[in-house]
Amino acid sequence: MTILLTGGAGFIGSHTYVALTQAGHEAVIVDNFYNSSQEVISRLQTITGKAVPYYDVDVCDHHALDQVFQKHSFDAVIHFAGYKAVGESVGMPIEYYRNNLDSTLTLCEVMRERGVNRIVFSSSATVYGMTDDMPLKETMSSGGCTNPYGWTKYMIEQILRDVADANPSWAVALLRYFNPIGAHESGLIGEDPVGLPNNLMPFITQVASGKLKELNIFGNDYPTPDGTGIRDYIHVVDLAQGHLDACAYLMAHTGCEVFNLGTGVGYSVLDMVHTFERVNNVTVPFHIAPRRPGDIARCFADPSKAEKLLGWKAHKSLEDMCIDAWRWQSLNPNGYATV
Ligand code: UDP
């Protein structure tokens, strides 16, 4: 297969590039490096041993994107590109809606013009909103998101569902990610948040390295066994494989399907801290802080649909996730930046 990866230099996109290339497929990256580094491209070249086809193009730029489609014959597109910071989206809703929706619509227009009709979309468990009915199944209702970022995922899902309804030859897979963490085992690529990390694992790794003083645990009075929030953490390499399986599925099916990509198992914040400390032999100082607005007590997937229809399931353990995240942090104390 020849696959276009929009946002292919990002955290999940770069791991998916490796998975596709190592499985013998051709992957082409389009990224405007707004939230990612050019250094990713040379790291990908080191891992795969091949030149990386990439274009420094904004997906909102119809003309530039069309030129990429003219140069390659894509079997499918995996659409990762988009603004992704939950907290930032609350203060910048116009930018989030403009960028995430515009890029998707532009991509769909170019795909239609160039006769490419298979798309895998990078969605999120956040579209399930504030329910506490667990595990989450694809048949449950979505909506009630708590921030503009989540609403853009919800709206893009709806756009793609409508496109598939209107065009019976289209094939769409909406992948709802749970909490991707970890890194490629080479330690060459990983998560590189800009500024203070919002998410738990990059915060833990930066505390363990001494870059940050201590972790704030947002609430220990949730109705969970140890009182801290429970999430379904998934290794990014397992998640990347899910994209290959989704592309293979779309080669044989039309219409629109939604898939949860999670492990089905939830761990608390304290489980994460203690496992990280144990497997890496480090300490992660923390203190208990107030709950974070918009957080729910528990969130974990029913991943059985992906296993049944895609033949996909997560294999890597929480220990693997913690070891690989720490290797990435230790080898790259400043992420992709050289200083
Ligand atoms: N969390 C925390 N301290 C942090 C970041 C996150 O205690 O600095 C908690 C958060 O309240 C949640 C879990 O860790 O229970 C996962 O949070 P994250 O932001 O990584 O993912 P999300 O909440 O989007 O699932």
Side-chain angles (χ1 to χ4, degrees):
M1 297 183 287
T2 302
I3 311 286
L4 171 64
L5 309 182
T6 74
F11 176 44
I12 303 168
S14 57
H15 288 80
T16 302
Y17 177 87
V18 172
L20 280 163
T21 307
Q22 292 187 336
H25 301 294
E26 189 153 339
V28 175
I29 292 175
V30 160
D31 205 301
N32 64 356
F33 299 98
Y34 170 80
N35 206 6
S36 56
S37 165
Q38 290 263 359
E39 173 65 16
V40 173
I41 302 297
S42 65
R43 303 282 180 102
L44 290 175
Q45 184 157 336
T46 305
I47 294 171
T48 61
K50 285 196 224 173
V52 177
Y54 81 96
Y55 297 88
D56 185 346
V57 160
D58 187 326
V59 182
C60 296
D61 182 340
H62 190 292
H63 177 70
L65 187 64
D66 186 57
Q67 289 188 319
V68 177
F69 275 72
Q70 282 184 53
K71 291 205 182 90
H72 301 269
S73 176
F74 295 121
D75 296 298
V77 176
I78 309 179
H79 183 33
F80 296 106
Y83 293 170
K84 61 174 185 181
V86 171
E88 182 183 70
S89 77
V90 176
M92 298 171 60
I94 299 172
E95 286 79 3
Y96 270 69
Y97 288 113
R98 165 68 77 195
N99 182 68
N100 291 3
L101 300 184
D102 244 14
S103 55
T104 304
L105 291 168
T106 305
L107 175 63
C108 288
E109 281 171 355
V110 175
M111 288 175 65
R112 181 175 59 184
E113 285 154 19
R114 295 287 160 196
V116 178
N117 54 12
R118 298 184 191 95
I119 181 166
V120 174
F121 175 58
S122 197
S123 189
S124 165
T126 196
V127 301
Y128 289 110
M130 294 289 283
T131 177
D132 45 32
D133 199 3
M134 296 294 146
L136 295 165
K137 294 179 196 295
E138 294 86 346
T139 47
M140 289 163 60
S141 65
S142 56
C145 302
T146 54
N147 55 75
Y149 159 78
W151 280 117
T152 68
K153 294 293 180 193
Y154 174 88
M155 290 175 187
I156 294 168
E157 284 198 357
Q158 188 59 45
I159 290 169
L160 293 175
R161 227 178 257 121
D162 290 341
V163 170
D165 279 348
N167 301 278
S169 62
W170 276 56
V172 176
L174 307 174
L175 304 185
R176 292 181 179 162
Y177 309 153
F178 281 68
N179 291 62
I181 61 169
H184 189 259
E185 61 179 14
S186 63
L188 286 168
I189 54 172
E191 188 169 10
D192 185 17
V194 177
L196 198 64
N198 291 302
N199 296 111
L200 179 63
M201 184 51 91
F203 212 104
I204 289 178
T205 59
Q206 292 194 17
V207 170
S209 75
K211 217 171 154 184
L212 296 173
K213 204 166 129 277
E214 61 181 0
L215 171 71
N216 297 311
I217 294 187
F218 297 140
N220 67 348
D221 56 353
Y222 284 105
T224 61
D226 66 22
T228 65
I230 287 179
R231 296 291 183 275
D232 183 338
Y233 296 93
I234 175 169
H235 197 297
V236 64
V237 168
D238 278 332
L239 190 67
Q241 180 61 41
H243 294 76
L244 266 73
D245 297 333
C247 286
Y249 178 85
L250 296 186
M251 301 303 285
H253 300 82
T254 54
C256 179
E257 288 289 349
V258 186
F259 298 100
N260 286 339
L261 296 186
T263 65
V265 180
Y267 290 101
S268 73
V269 179
L270 284 172
D271 290 333
M272 299 299 288
V273 170
H274 294 141
T275 306
F276 191 91
E277 291 182 320
R278 175 171 55 80
V279 298
N280 294 315
N281 198 22
V282 291
T283 53
V284 179
F286 64 84
H287 85 271
I288 305 299
R291 290 184 180 192
R292 185 173 63 177
D295 271 359
I296 53 177
R298 300 181 312 145
C299 176
F300 55 92
D302 174 347
S304 58
K305 182 177 175 188
E307 182 167 8
K308 197 163 151 226
L309 296 192
L310 304 180
W312 173 88
K313 70 189 258 206
H315 294 286
K316 291 185 180 277
S317 66
L318 185 60
E319 282 79 3
D320 296 328
M321 301 183 216
C322 291
I323 289 168
D324 291 340
W326 182 231
R327 185 185 302 108
W328 158 252
Q329 173 68 42
S330 308
L331 293 175
N332 306 274
N334 298 306
Y336 291 112
T338 45
V339 285

